Amino acid sequence: MDSNSKISLHTGNKIPVLGLGTWQLTDKTAETVLRALELGYRQIDTSSDYGTQPGIGEALKKTQQDRKKIYVVTKVEEDDDAFDRTKSNLHELGLEYVDLMLIHRPPAIGAGEELWEGLMRAKQEGLVRDIGVSNYSAMLIQQLIDAGGEVPAVNQIEWSPFGHSEEMRQYCDEKKIVIQAYSPLTRGKCLEEPILKNVAGNYVRSPAQILIRWNLQRGTVPIPKANQNEHLEENINVFDFEISDDDMELLNGLNEEYSSLGSLPYV
Ligand SMILES: NC(=O)c1ccc[n+]([C@@H]2O[C@H](COP(=O)([O-])OP(=O)(O)OC[C@H]3O[C@@H](n4cnc5c(N)ncnc54)[C@H](OP(=O)(O)O)[C@@H]3O)[C@@H](O)[C@H]2O)c1
């Protein structure tokens, strides 16, 4: 596995194993994204409400990388007209299509069936390659499917050794839905945890690198955000070591359904 490696989605398309998060990457977005692409990041995650789409668009125009090799993920909000928002996202990004469009979070009532129809139409019309959800429970995903919708390619949820759910993992495995792991570094909050630090010491790596590698080895797709150059470099320098089965078990055991938002919306 390296930074060009990909995981297959149930649609037949593929998603790079690691991405760059861009929430709050509003200082010098274009410069940071360009640097990330130079370092080997092949997936960029954004949303209509992050304020980073224009900067990402600028970086994508400037980069030497072929558009087809860069995987762009963005989102529509729960009160949007999903089809219209897809078009305005593309406009902000300066792109003809994105690789993945997600419903950012379920609406207050229902599972977002109307949003899902808007995204299915956007897919049919070639504006997006794949569609998925974010912050969805298994029950809400099932509601979308039962309403005749296609199975989401991805569920983007908060996911780390400190906060994850084996039940969600099992449901996604059954449906062949890939889990994209947001806040994989716990927004920096759990990096000093002693067991994590001990495991990191075994490989002479940083706790952040262990959190990213834990995801990679479990087949979930981490999208760490990093503004600082040394963080960008550190977070992609995770392909030349392997966490042992015993240490993976120790990390799995850290689960306390931790959430930087207060609670995991999918549990
Ligand atoms: N779908 C959703 O509802 C949702 C919700 C939250 C997040 N997301 C997505 O997931 C992405 C990642 O999540 P996140 O931004 O919440 O949190 P995160 O990636 O867990 O943590 C980001 C924080 O960790 C720091 N950091 C990065 N690399 C580090 C390293 N090697 N060592 C120590 N600290 C490091 C960053 O600092 P610097 O920036 O200073 O380098 C930043 O303060 C977001 O940017 C966004 O794209 C999606």
Side-chain angles (χ1 to χ4, degrees):
M1 184 171 29
D2 62 30
S3 65
N4 287 308
S5 299
K6 293 177 179 173
I7 294 178
S8 291
L9 301 169
H10 71 72
T11 57
N13 296 323
K14 291 181 175 179
I15 183 169
V17 291
L18 171 71
L20 175 71
T22 68
W23 178 64
Q24 293 192 330
L25 196 82
T26 40
D27 283 349
K28 303 184 189 151
T29 308
E31 205 179 290
T32 308
V33 171
L34 259 179
R35 178 74 188 124
L37 294 173
E38 273 167 23
L39 287 169
Y41 287 83
R42 291 293 170 262
Q43 180 192 161
I44 314 291
D45 178 72
T46 183
S47 177
S48 48
D49 67 349
Y50 289 179
T52 53
Q53 293 191 130
I56 292 168
E58 202 184 316
L60 292 173
K61 271 203 186 72
K62 283 190 185 150
T63 181
Q64 308 294 320
Q65 294 296 329
D66 185 349
R67 163 72 186 96
K68 289 195 206 88
K69 296 207 169 128
I70 305 168
Y71 195 92
V72 181
V73 186
T74 187
K75 312 181 187 91
V76 300
E77 304 306 307
E78 65 272 31
D79 49 1
D80 281 341
D81 174 310
F83 187 77
D84 287 352
R85 177 63 77 181
T86 297
K87 285 197 290 190
S88 68
N89 281 346
L90 290 179
H91 181 72
E92 263 193 36
L93 285 158
L95 296 177
E96 287 178 4
Y97 72 92
V98 288
D99 300 274
L100 181 62
M101 185 71 74
L102 307 176
I103 300 177
H104 204 156
R105 55 188 77 79
I109 297 167
E113 289 86 347
E114 208 175 313
L115 290 161
W116 198 232
E117 274 170 27
L119 290 193
M120 288 195 290
R121 178 177 162 213
K123 185 177 166 187
Q124 273 156 14
E125 298 200 11
L127 305 180
V128 307
R129 295 283 186 263
D130 277 305
I131 57 177
V133 293
S134 177
N135 297 303
Y136 268 59
S137 64
M139 195 186 78
L140 285 174
I141 295 176
Q142 196 55 47
Q143 242 172 276
L144 284 185
I145 300 169
D146 291 346
E150 65 177 74
V151 177
V154 158
N155 190 16
Q156 184 181 116
I157 43 184
E158 184 168 357
W159 196 263
S160 74
F162 300 97
H164 59 279
S165 147
E166 288 311 326
E167 289 77 22
M168 172 57 82
R169 167 68 186 250
Q170 208 179 331
Y171 176 81
C172 286
D173 281 355
E174 275 166 24
K175 299 286 175 200
K176 301 199 175 358
I177 297 169
V178 168
I179 292 175
Q180 241 185 336
Y182 80 63
S183 308
L185 307 179
T186 65
R187 296 188 174 164
K189 293 290 189 308
C190 303
L191 298 180
E192 294 298 318
E193 198 285 329
I195 293 175
L196 172 62
K197 280 177 80 174
N198 263 339
V199 170
N202 292 344
Y203 305 91
V204 201
R205 296 292 166 143
S206 71
Q209 287 173 313
I210 297 297
L211 294 182
I212 293 168
R213 184 76 205 183
W214 173 85
N215 266 299
L216 296 175
Q217 288 185 212
R218 287 173 50 110
T220 43
V221 175
I223 47 169
K225 174 257 180 182
N227 219 13
Q228 299 174 51
N229 197 35
E230 53 273 32
H231 287 163
L232 278 177
E233 285 182 22
E234 194 175 301
N235 297 348
I236 198 167
N237 187 13
V238 287
F239 294 102
D240 57 350
F241 73 104
E242 186 162 350
I243 303 173
S244 71
D245 291 347
D246 286 351
D247 284 342
M248 285 297 284
E249 276 309 307
L250 277 178
L251 295 169
N252 293 340
L254 292 173
N255 192 13
E256 51 176 22
E257 295 183 0
Y258 173 85
S259 167
S260 56
L261 302 171
S263 69
L264 297 175
Y266 55 86
V267 172

